[in-house]
Amino acid sequence: MAKSAKRESTDLLVLNGPNLNLLGRREPEIYGSDTLDDIAGAVKARAKGLGLSVDFRQSNHEGELITWVQDARDSARAIIINPGGLSHTSVALLDALTFTELPVIEVHLSNIHRRESFRHHSFVSAVAQGIIVGLGPQGYLLAVEAAANILKKPTAAKSKKRRA
């Protein structure tokens, strides 16, 4: 059985799913012209201004995202996630997010509810404390601010109480 490497602790783990590495080139009429690097820079700057550290990542592989989420249980205080197309298909990602018992904020650049009907449902939403859709890159910045507010509350600490 593979064992995950111990990660350095961070406040916010920001995860991005499949195809988000193509931002700026892929359907700019839907997703805008900002690249994922542009968004990462803005997120890190906003987080720094709020006194938070950020680990910003992207993968096209569901299993890698799941491993990162599992590792976050012991290395992060909150997760911001744009699962991309996995939102609509991955019960395994939902299960991993549930296991972490961390605050989760789901972000989508486009308004998934104004798009094709198969995009209207997100499995990840079931565990998300908040969902930001349709505001483009600004959604990530709002998610950072929301996470900062959540982490200020005494109840934000992970509950070690296991779910049945």
Side-chain angles (χ1 to χ4, degrees), residues 29-52:
E29 67 281 2
I30 295 174
Y31 300 108
S33 58
D34 288 346
T35 67
L36 194 59
D37 285 341
D38 295 334
I39 294 170
V43 164
K44 290 175 182 178
R46 180 66 54 94
K48 183 177 181 182
L50 294 168
L52 298 173

Side-chain angles (χ1 to χ4, degrees), residues 13 22 38 50 114 121 123 135-136 138 142 146 148:
L13 177 61
L22 299 176
D38 295 334
L50 294 168
R114 294 186 69 186
H121 178 266
F123 285 101
L135 298 178
Q138 182 185 7
L142 294 170

Side-chain angles (χ1 to χ4, degrees), residues 128-158:
Q129 192 158 346
I131 305 158
I132 301 169
V133 300
L135 298 178
Q138 182 185 7
Y140 282 86
L141 303 180
L142 294 170
V144 169
E145 291 175 13
N149 287 330
I150 291 166
L151 293 175
K152 284 180 188 175
K153 297 177 183 175
T155 57
K158 283 194 288 188

